[in-house]
Amino acid sequence: MRISELAAASGVAVPTIKYYLREGLLPPGRATSATQASYDESHLQRLRLVRSLVEVGGLPLAKVRAVLDVLADPAPAPYTAVSDALAALPPYVVETPPFVRATSALDEIGLAYDPTSSAIAQLEAALAGLEAAGRPLDAAALGRYAAQIMVIARREVDAVEAQRDPEVPAELADVVEDIVLGTILVEPVILALRRLIHAALFRERHQGDSAAGDQKPAASR
Amino acid sequence: MRISELAAASGVAVPTIKYYLREGLLPPGRATSATQASYDESHLQRLRLVRSLVEVGGLPLAKVRAVLDVLADPAPAPYTAVSDALAALPPYVVETPPFVRATSALDEIGLAYDPTSSAIAQLEAALAGLEAAGRPLDAAALGRYAAQIMVIARREVDAVEAQRDPEVPAELADVVEDIVLGTILVEPVILALRRLIHAALFRERHQGDSAAGDQKPAASR
């Protein structure tokens, strides 16, 4: 397809596609003349991936490139490839090791982890922030979160594997792409649901609470 | 206490404290001389709150101010105050209504919601991104996430209420502060745990997988 057709199919404007081509985020099309090139399904897929990482994931382009580099040339062992890809995702926490709060809590709840994972730095920063705000989260509380999240994560990993034909060996890049997209695109879904459920529970419990000066019951809002 | 003591107790540098004072994010101390002021426990608490919102929550100062304004002058009905405060938190999604994907899925799973909540816009953006990436999330899948998150959220709301003495009517600002801090500070904990658990499950299932050129088994890394 031509670049205008690629734009129509992807919903990404032609100038943005050209920018991605110049930046190497999208591989060049097959040249059909001095000024035209032809694009295929693989370009459309890549374009959707870049858009999702930018718009939903909020990744800066340099980080999009880091994720794409991992997908293009994954480390030879699947586990390492996934770790590398997840490490390229935000947030970019500038905590320095040792991550004592995070690792000691994880040891206590018995969750195996890679000590170089960026999620450890993220967890350390979050636990330090809760402590600073006078709301420390102990290992027992962290363990209760982990138990619930284990149910979610196990279902997600099962779903990725169930979609594969066991007769066809999965391309490593596809597996990594599934996990990276599943991680980054589903995160805002989880956070939005938690906020909506907090609000719903709060409304349920305080329905009818109404302070002086408030004319209507809260439930009618 | 003096400003230097406030800095030592909070871990926030004196120039930063002075900046927050100028910006009105921290109320002025009680003047003890022409050049000195005295600060109390309420300043320390406020300072911790501002730091958490900035460092853990990643809020820009203008949004910190919006959250503080809600805390300083909450809407008269508790539910509205909480909604207002949550709406001041990131991410700041620029989706425009109607939020058809989000609201129809929530209707289908039977979760009550405030259609003006910022979490609805956030959910809409996330569902649209998943769809664009060729990984749509249907209402049934969203319902499975919601069931797990309901367990987490109910425990959180119970914990906030259990800490209160039922004989003492809670100050509305305190309740709102609990919910806002609980929302924003715990979000990175949840996401970090999910990434760590994904990596652990992936490692567990692919232990020993090793492609050509990879000398060591993945499990030894």
Side-chain angles (χ1 to χ4, degrees), chain A residues 158-171 175, chain B residues 206:
Chain A
D158 285 346
V160 167
E161 308 220 330
Q163 278 166 10
R164 308 203 168 283
D165 180 344
E167 302 295 309
V168 182
E171 285 285 333
V175 177
Chain B
H206 294 269

Side-chain angles (χ1 to χ4, degrees), chain A residues 7-20:
Chain A
S10 64
V12 177
V14 170
T16 307
I17 295 177
K18 289 188 172 165
Y19 176 68
Y20 290 164

Side-chain angles (χ1 to χ4, degrees), chain A residues 48 76-77 80 90 132 135 145 148 156 158 161 178-179 181-183 187 194-195 198 202 205 211 214 221, chain B residues 48 76-77 80 90 132 135 145 148 156 158 178-179 181-183 187 194-195 198 202 205-206 211 214 221:
Chain A
R48 285 183 175 144
T80 313
R135 289 162 166 79
Y145 279 107
Q148 235 55 49
E156 292 170 329
D158 285 346
E161 308 220 330
D178 274 344
I179 298 207
L181 278 181
T183 295
E187 286 182 351
R194 178 162 167 269
R195 290 191 187 183
H198 274 176
F202 197 80
R205 294 181 189 203
D214 189 33
R221 285 161 184 267
Chain B
R48 285 185 175 143
T80 313
R135 289 160 166 80
Y145 280 107
Q148 235 53 50
E156 292 170 329
D158 285 345
D178 274 344
I179 297 206
L181 278 181
T183 295
E187 286 181 352
R194 178 162 167 267
R195 290 191 186 183
H198 275 175
F202 196 79
R205 293 182 189 202
H206 294 269
D214 190 33
R221 284 162 185 267

Side-chain angles (χ1 to χ4, degrees), chain B residues 13-26 61 65:
Chain B
V14 170
T16 307
I17 296 177
K18 288 187 174 166
Y19 176 67
Y20 290 165
L21 285 166
R22 279 197 306 277
E23 292 289 312
L25 296 173
L26 193 64
L61 286 188
R65 193 190 313 276

Side-chain angles (χ1 to χ4, degrees), chain A residues 98-131:
Chain A
F99 303 126
V100 179
R101 291 179 188 81
T103 55
S104 65
L106 291 172
D107 288 340
E108 200 169 324
I109 67 178
L111 184 69
Y113 57 90
D114 171 355
T116 65
S117 160
S118 61
I120 298 282
Q122 184 185 347
L123 184 60
E124 180 76 16
L127 294 178
L130 282 159
E131 208 175 287

